[in-house]
Amino acid sequence: MEMESQKLMEAVQNGDVSAAVDLLEQDPLLLDRIIVLGVSDTPLHAASVRGHADLVRELLRRAPRLASEQDSRGNSPLHLAAGKGHGEIVGELLSADPAAAAAARNLDGRAPIHVAAIKGRVDAVGRMVGAGGAGAAREVTDRGETALHLAVANGKTEVVRAVVGAVGGSDRAELVNWKDCDGNSVLHIAVAKKQIETIKFLLAIPGVNVNLINKIGSTPLDVLKQSPRDLQDMEIEDSLLNEGALRSKSIYPFDRDSEQIQLPQLSREAPTSPLLVSEKSPSKNKLPARKRANEISQHRSSLMVVASLIATVAFQAAITPPGGVWQSDYTVDENGNPVKEPHNAGTSIMAHNQRKEYGLFFIFNTLAFLSSLSIILLLVSGLPIKRRRWMWVQMVTMWIAMTAQVITYFIALRHMTLDKSESDVFPVLKDVTEVAVLAWFCLMGVVFVGNLGRVCLYYLRKKGYIKKKKKRAEEARALPADADEEEGL
């Protein structure tokens, strides 16, 4: 039997229909014994993966049960044919055993339609959905993913069109709004992958829900806002907003990080079901505290980015000062006599020619460098500096670093300009520099006054002065009403 099975397998692999038929005529029970003995790779597997449609028809005519046999990886012949995109063979296998073949799962938990969707086999997917209808399109993996989820995740837009086009009516909207184990619909995945063509196609489907919330509380618009920014974001955002997309905080106006809130549990059967809110609402004191913590966290991130940038620029300016550095030593003249103004290779040319300006450049550049490094050190030190007053201290340090960097820039700019006695541009540059510096200090003054006002307001609220004024105003508004009541009595 083993010899005959091997000869049959060789004939199938070579696509030799006549040789295979002769072997089967000589031993009509050969295929039945292969099924009973549980051979992993059957002749039908070999014929399906190699695209031998005539052999597939002959094998199925003699032993239809081969269509449901699985190999060592759990793949049925339909898995292999679907993965290879052999549409004609897929049709033959579905005709032999539509239910068992389409619903079989391999060791990865995927049905044949899932394999075809991942590979982008449009013809195979279309045949399977055409044979099984919406039920085939609703087949899910172990992670709750449909063929649409897998097609979008792998960028197979044509498969998405084929599946949606083959499913009609209410089943189409249900399929598009279906959620995987993470609560993501196909629109969530398309937005995360920045697939503009797929997003526009999905948004045009009647009944698509653009405001579904996944298990972490994000709508598709939230996914876009949380993803790395690129040039496609504006077009995607406009497409979503035109269809009424909202962020979760607009739909569910509570702090999602609060322990008092229970995130909505949306089932696949009712993807548009209303949000379920816990009876325990967050206290009025916890929400502002959470909001302040989020604001401080955002300020810390911004300070880290800006401080890193200033430190990089200041370091680069220190090792490559305006005018560059001397490329060779110059201590004696051609006759070997000492020169009046010697210099050594690697030293700054500006320090040799304009010592005063170089001194100012060095001081302000060092101030910007050390100030920015101080901020970085504080942010990464792990010290408990997350309170608002410490953030103000770091912001003041950042102002110092930025101001020092501005002064360094103008010193370098004036150094690289022609001498004032040789250029008519110098007076104009001098005026522009003075106006720019003055405008910068005015801007810094406005920012300083604004933050000083915030500090004062913070301490007034902390001490209770503003709250007392509010109470007095409320009492004053209540007095006329009380007086009217007394007159009525």
Side-chain angles (χ1 to χ4, degrees), residues 284-303:
K284 295 182 179 180
N285 294 330
K286 287 186 178 181
L287 286 179
R290 178 71 64 179
K291 184 178 180 180
R292 287 196 299 270
N294 291 337
E295 290 178 354
I296 292 175
S297 178
Q298 293 175 1
H299 286 315
R300 286 168 58 87
S301 300
S302 301
L303 285 173

Side-chain angles (χ1 to χ4, degrees), residues 2 8 61 65 83 141 166 204 218 225 230 282 284 293 333 349 355 358 360 362 367 372 381 385 390 419 447 457 475:
E2 184 177 354
L8 177 60
R61 185 180 66 82
R65 287 181 55 194
T141 65
S218 297
K225 295 294 185 180
D230 59 30
K284 295 182 179 180
D333 57 15
I349 297 175
R355 297 183 178 179
Y358 180 76
L360 293 174
F362 182 84
L367 181 61
S372 57
S381 63
I385 54 174
W390 286 109
D419 187 74
V447 176
L457 187 63
E475 292 175 359

Side-chain angles (χ1 to χ4, degrees), residues 411-430:
I411 292 175
L413 183 63
R414 295 186 64 173
H415 168 74
M416 292 185 291
T417 306
L418 292 174
D419 187 74
K420 58 184 178 182
S421 62
E422 302 176 2
S423 175
D424 297 332
V425 181
F426 186 83
V428 178
L429 177 62
K430 182 174 181 296

